[in-house]
Amino acid sequence: MDSRACLVVLMVVIVCVSGEESKSVSFIFGDSLSDVGNNNYFSKALAKANYPWYGIDFGNGMPTGRFTNGRTISDIVADKLGLPVPAAYMDPTTTEEVAMKQGVNYASGGGGILNETGWHFIQRLSLYRQIEMFMGTKTLLAQKYGEEQTENFTRDSVFLVAIGSNDYINNYLLPITADSWKYGANDFADYLIATLRRQLTILHSLGARKLLFFGLGPLGCIPLQRIQTQDGSCKSDLNDMAVYFNKGGSKLIDDLNSQLPEAKFQFGDGFDFFTKLIQNPQQYGFNNSDAPCCTVGRIRPTLTCLAAAKLCKDRSKYVFWDEYHPSDAANVVIAENLLPTLSFGHTISPAPSPAPSAS
């Protein structure tokens, strides 16, 4: 589950490109809560959102590769800040010109910090692989716009890295994976943080200076985990793992800021807010935070929203769309609650983002 409640894409840097009007862009690295269709271009990928009812509340209602019924948090943030949504890297129409004007999204459903995470999905992009793809993008930009302009562009861009949930849900918690046999819970988190340290350091060497890394949400409270408990409560041990990881992530960002030249890295911890949203959904306009809107009758867990599934009566009242991912309405609440503190001075649209309603 990519349940980081604060997967907020803050595309806030002014970039001048070839004398054109100033643009604000970002580069996004992550998993299914940030994926805007990259996995659709893999013929063998099992983690896809290219079938109904995904996208029912987005555009013309057709699937877009987003793992929700409507918009990702990044879509909502871009709309509120008046910024373009970064293009999917795998989309053939994502050219150098598009990268300069919109930024690029490398996120991949099922991807993780570790290369081995999500292996059972066959095809997915790990964080290391996403970074390699960014290297390719930067090379192409340098060939077209020159080294100096590309370096300035990169240093002025915002990098969002929001990943890590799959390393638990689709790696450590699976009894058939080697990592679950090799590490205790805290040792595994330390292994993730050590790997992440190398990855973020590589991004810095490639020019990243303004980087946001977002920690994990309450993984033990996603529907997939709650249905496995006798009383439907959250799994406290899994939530404890997320808290431990977040502490390590926060310290890592502090360390990198003190060690890497000109680094302005930030750590976003949405654990507490997402926990409040799940524990008190009515306070935020919801009436269900323990079950997904999309299910196949009483059959659970269904893991993904299948074409044969039945949808809840009012999608705007459910925190979760499927067993893993928040609904469009929940993404709106998350974005609107976090933007005031993470907008970097951008003017935020006061108009509330429309939430989906039953069709």
Side-chain angles (χ1 to χ4, degrees):
M1 152 67 174
D2 311 303
S3 62
R4 286 156 306 283
C6 54
L7 285 174
V8 180
V9 181
L10 301 176
M11 296 154 281
V12 299
V13 179
I14 303 302
V15 180
C16 295
V17 180
S18 301
E20 295 179 4
E21 183 180 350
S22 295
K23 300 292 182 182
S24 298
V25 302
S26 70
F27 293 100
I28 302 174
F29 304 79
D31 42 39
S32 60
L33 232 174
S34 300
D35 191 345
V36 293
N38 283 316
N39 277 19
N40 282 354
Y41 295 93
F42 293 128
S43 61
K44 299 179 181 179
L46 298 182
K48 292 185 179 182
N50 63 340
Y51 42 84
W53 301 94
Y54 290 102
I56 188 174
D57 297 301
F58 188 100
N60 61 7
M62 300 298 292
T64 64
R66 291 166 171 81
F67 288 76
T68 183
N69 58 309
R71 301 155 293 178
T72 67
I73 290 178
S74 62
D75 294 325
I76 297 165
V77 169
D79 176 65
K80 285 191 163 293
L81 297 182
L83 304 173
V85 174
Y89 172 82
M90 295 295 294
D91 189 327
T93 65
T94 301
T95 62
E96 296 92 323
E97 292 86 353
V98 171
M100 274 286 191
K101 293 179 179 180
Q102 294 181 227
V104 181
N105 184 322
Y106 303 89
S108 172
I113 295 171
L114 305 177
N115 288 334
E116 61 264 32
T117 290
W119 62 269
H120 51 294
F121 294 129
I122 311 301
Q123 290 179 300
R124 78 287 179 212
L125 303 174
S126 69
L127 183 52
Y128 269 127
R129 185 71 182 104
Q130 293 177 37
I131 293 173
E132 289 177 358
M133 289 178 166
F134 169 71
M135 293 174 63
T137 298
K138 188 176 178 183
T139 297
L140 292 175
L141 290 175
Q143 291 173 353
K144 187 174 182 66
Y145 297 102
E147 293 284 350
E148 182 177 357
Q149 185 168 328
T150 299
E151 288 300 326
N152 291 335
F153 171 72
T154 303
R155 290 170 181 268
D156 282 340
S157 298
V158 167
F159 290 70
L160 169 71
V161 183
I163 200 166
S165 290
N166 283 314
D167 292 290
Y168 285 93
I169 302 301
N170 288 302
N171 183 348
Y172 188 71
L173 297 179
L174 299 178
I176 58 175
T177 61
D179 287 338
S180 63
W181 293 88
K182 289 166 54 179
Y183 300 98
N186 289 355
D187 289 338
F188 181 68
D190 293 340
Y191 172 40
L192 290 178
I193 295 299
T195 305
L196 184 63
R197 179 185 295 272
R198 293 191 291 272
Q199 294 163 333
L200 299 187
T201 301
I202 292 173
L203 281 175
H204 178 272
S205 72
L206 294 171
R209 294 296 181 267
K210 301 176 181 181
L211 182 146
L212 307 171
F213 178 77
F214 290 100
L216 305 180
L219 300 181
C221 293
I222 66 174
L224 177 66
Q225 298 300 319
R226 296 182 69 166
I227 196 175
Q228 298 178 35
T229 63
Q230 291 184 346
D231 58 358
S233 60
C234 298
K235 287 186 175 181
S236 59
D237 58 339
L238 183 49
N239 283 346
D240 290 342
M241 293 181 195
V243 170
Y244 185 89
F245 175 88
N246 287 349
K247 289 181 179 179
S250 178
K251 182 179 184 302
L252 169 62
I253 296 303
D254 289 340
D255 290 346
L256 294 178
N257 280 330
S258 64
Q259 298 166 5
L260 300 178
E262 301 178 351
K264 298 178 181 179
F265 291 4
Q266 296 185 29
F267 179 79
D269 189 349
F271 185 95
D272 289 341
F273 174 74
F274 207 169
T275 299
K276 292 178 182 178
L277 175 61
I278 292 172
Q279 292 178 342
N280 302 289
Q282 291 79 14
Q283 180 180 346
Y284 301 94
F286 299 90
N287 58 28
N288 188 303
S289 62
D290 58 2
C293 172
C294 182
T295 60
V296 182
R298 297 182 179 180
I299 301 175
R300 289 192 59 204
T302 54
L303 301 184
T304 60
C305 181
L306 304 174
K310 294 183 179 179
L311 305 184
C312 59
K313 184 177 180 180
D314 188 345
R315 297 186 287 277
S316 69
K317 299 299 182 182
Y318 275 65
V319 172
F320 288 97
W321 167 245
D322 60 17
E323 300 284 358
Y324 299 87
H325 308 97
S327 65
D328 178 285
N331 285 335
V332 170
V333 172
I334 293 166
E336 291 182 345
N337 276 270
L338 292 171
L339 269 174
T341 59
L342 297 173
S343 68
F344 291 112
H346 262 241
T347 301
I348 302 171
S349 171
S353 300
S357 58
S359 60

